[in-house]
Amino acid sequence: MNLKLKFSLAVIILISIMMFLVTIMVLDFQKRLIIERMETKSIVLVQKDINELSDRLISITALVLVLGVLGAVALAQFFTRPLLQLRKKMLKLQEGNLNVEIENKNLLRCWERLECNKRECPAYGSKDLRCWLIAGTFCREGIGSEFAKKLGDCRKCVVYKESCGDEIGELKEGFNIMVSNLRYNLKKLEEANREKERVGRFAILGEMSARVAHEIKNPLNAIEGAAAYISKNFRGELLSEFTGIIKEEVERLDKLTTGLLSFSKPVLPQKSFGNINELIEKTINLLKNETKNAGITIEANLDRGIPHFYFDKGQMKQVLINLLVNAIEATPPEGKIVIFTESVNSTLRMHLKDTGIGIKPEDLSNIFKPFFTTKTRGSGLGLAIVKRIIRSHDGKISVESREGIGTTFAMSLPIREEP
């Protein structure tokens, strides 16, 4: 029942009580006057009854006035109590307390009210019964977004309406939503500030790394040339073994310095009109020998309806190679790698899934960080470069992984048919 209807019913009941009292008094006087007139025609008695009626009307008026005042006070208490509660919480919020919340005893369990059996929904069985404040809920046959972006639909939902009750209830819930938004945005701001500091540190580190890598390049070339000369002009099993080790390590250091230089000095995408599916197929063929030697199969489920669009073919090829090489190294023999593409609302969605060993939960949040690696001989720059390239194309990349089952990288890129 909304607030307007509650107030209207209260006023109607109060007026009805007053009218009922007046009617009883008038009918009683009328009955007595008729009886007395039948018994006598005394003007004195009629005058006496009129005086009595006057006194009673004054008494009724006073009673009605008292009832009206008491009713008004009761109504004021009824309607202002939640507003005073809201004011108290608002004052605490102004003092910097972000944990304030107005209790609502009418909250409904959405899965019970809607008879929903989607147990995978984050709101199902949640201790926080406010499903409109939970991100990623499975509402209206779809997956809800962040809570701040799905409130428009939630306000139309029967669960929200019945949980709020009336306009004052909606006002209280609006306050709770405002506080939740404030907490959420402050958390995002803190994360952004930390990210800014981290990026600043990496910018300095990147500049230093670029200088060091540049200085290492020349000695590496000299070492590689010397090892090649020794291997060519001198014979010996032990000598060949040592020169082979020198050559292998020089190649590893050269890859590391090349990665440092490319990461510290990123090149802007040189976009051209092309077909992403063709690039994926060419990259798979490029790694055919590696997959064959590893006993792994690559399956491509490509959406042939994806239109040509502008992207940097060289950089996207680097993304695919880095991800595929990681997947090949993580997948045991007879395993499978699946690449999936589709076009949704002018956005390319691409998934690369393997049946490998997976990534430990504690490592998932670090895999895109520069120099983080779980390999004994890795540089830790491959996935950092991948993320940078995807972001330079205004895209997004995420990862899901379960140990012993496999890993899935999900990417999205805007399909732009104009440069």
Side-chain angles (χ1 to χ4, degrees), residues 276 306 309 341-343 346-350 411-413 415:
I276 191 67
I306 297 176
F309 65 99
T341 61
E342 67 173 344
S343 174
S346 299
T347 299
L348 166 70
R349 291 184 179 175
M350 180 165 57
M411 292 160 282
S412 63
L413 296 175
I415 298 176

Side-chain angles (χ1 to χ4, degrees), residues 327-347:
I328 292 170
E329 292 177 353
T331 304
E334 299 184 2
K336 185 168 68 172
I337 300 172
V338 178
I339 300 180
F340 167 82
T341 61
E342 67 173 344
S343 174
V344 180
N345 298 328
S346 299
T347 299

Side-chain angles (χ1 to χ4, degrees), residues 17 54 59 211 221 235 250 264 273 382:
I17 292 173
S54 177
S59 301
R211 292 181 181 179
N221 292 332
R235 294 289 183 269
V250 165
S264 60
F273 204 58

Side-chain angles (χ1 to χ4, degrees), residues 43 83 87 111 125 188 196 204 218 234 300 326 371 380-382 396:
I43 298 177
L83 296 178
R87 178 178 177 273
W111 61 91
K188 288 293 184 181
K196 183 180 179 181
I204 297 172
N218 292 333
F234 297 92
N326 285 346
F371 310 111
L381 291 173
K396 297 179 181 178

Side-chain angles (χ1 to χ4, degrees), residues 376-392:
T376 56
R377 300 175 66 85
S379 65
L381 291 173
L383 290 178
I385 293 173
V386 165
K387 186 174 182 178
R388 173 172 283 181
I389 291 173
I390 296 296
R391 281 188 171 181
S392 68

Side-chain angles (χ1 to χ4, degrees), residues 199-258:
V199 169
R201 290 195 299 268
F202 276 120
I204 297 172
L205 181 61
E207 186 177 349
M208 294 174 60
S209 300
R211 292 181 181 179
V212 172
H214 182 73
E215 294 298 327
I216 291 176
K217 276 282 188 180
N218 292 333
L220 282 179
N221 292 332
I223 294 171
E224 185 179 18
Y229 178 82
I230 293 171
S231 178
K232 183 178 180 181
N233 293 282
F234 297 92
R235 294 289 183 269
E237 184 177 346
L238 187 61
L239 191 64
S240 297
E241 182 182 350
F242 284 162
T243 53
I245 293 173
I246 292 172
K247 185 178 180 181
E248 181 181 345
E249 293 302 316
V250 165
E251 289 178 353
R252 188 170 71 87
L253 287 173
D254 184 66
K255 288 181 180 179
L256 177 60
T257 53
T258 302

Side-chain angles (χ1 to χ4, degrees), residues 98-99 133 135 146-147 178-196:
L98 297 181
N99 295 319
L133 296 184
E146 296 178 358
F147 72 86
M178 179 189 70
V179 175
S180 296
N181 275 328
L182 185 58
R183 287 198 297 261
Y184 177 80
N185 290 328
L186 285 177
K187 180 181 177 181
K188 288 293 184 181
L189 182 60
E190 290 176 1
E191 292 175 355
N193 288 333
R194 287 196 295 267
E195 179 69 14
K196 183 180 179 181

